[in-house]
Structure formats: structure tokens, C-alpha cells
Amino acid sequence: MRRRVTAATNKVEAYNGFSEWLHFGNRVVIADNDSIEREKAMKSNSLLTNTVIFHNTLELADIVRELQAQGFGVVA
């Protein structure tokens, strides 16, 4: 159970680190006092993070299929 919790925690921390790395403007400080604007900024950053992850996943899947078509064995 501890290993599973640690693995899940590591995934969340990696996601958060990547999201922070992608974030643009004002060093990840949301200075606006308007809660709606803060929420929009956070959701926009989350959308950007998920979009980049999805794009990379599609690119990797294409590469794996291409390697398989060329006769290379791909191990999961």
C-alpha cells in the first residue's frame, strides 16, 4: 500500500512540477484578487499542461507504430 501511495504521490508531484514549468507570466504568481480570474488562470494552465501531455502521448504512439511497422520489437 505504501508503494502505491508513493507512486501516486510522485506522479502528482511530477505533474505539478511540469505544470509550473509550463506556466507563463509573473513567475506563477496570480496577483489578481478576483477569484474568477484566478480560477480562469489556474484552469487555463491545467488545460495547457494536459494538452502538452496528450500531444506528446500521440507523438510517442506514432513513433512506436512506425517502429513496429519497420519490424522492430517494442516492449511495453
Side-chain angles (χ1 to χ4, degrees), residues 11-74:
K11 287 179 185 177
V12 169
E13 291 300 323
Y15 177 88
N16 289 338
F18 182 60
S19 180
E20 185 176 324
W21 180 79
L22 276 178
H23 190 80
F24 54 90
N26 210 16
R27 295 186 176 172
V28 193
V29 174
I30 301 172
D32 200 329
N33 285 331
D34 184 4
S35 63
I36 293 172
E37 291 303 315
R38 284 194 311 262
E39 185 176 358
K40 285 194 313 191
M42 290 170 27
K43 288 187 177 188
S44 296
N45 192 50
S46 180
L47 178 62
L48 175 63
T49 302
N50 289 328
T51 301
V52 171
I53 291 169
F54 183 67
H55 173 76
N56 287 345
T57 302
L58 291 177
E59 289 292 319
L60 285 170
D62 286 344
I63 292 168
V64 168
R65 280 192 289 275
E66 186 177 320
L67 288 171
Q68 288 174 328
Q70 293 175 9
F72 290 95
V74 178

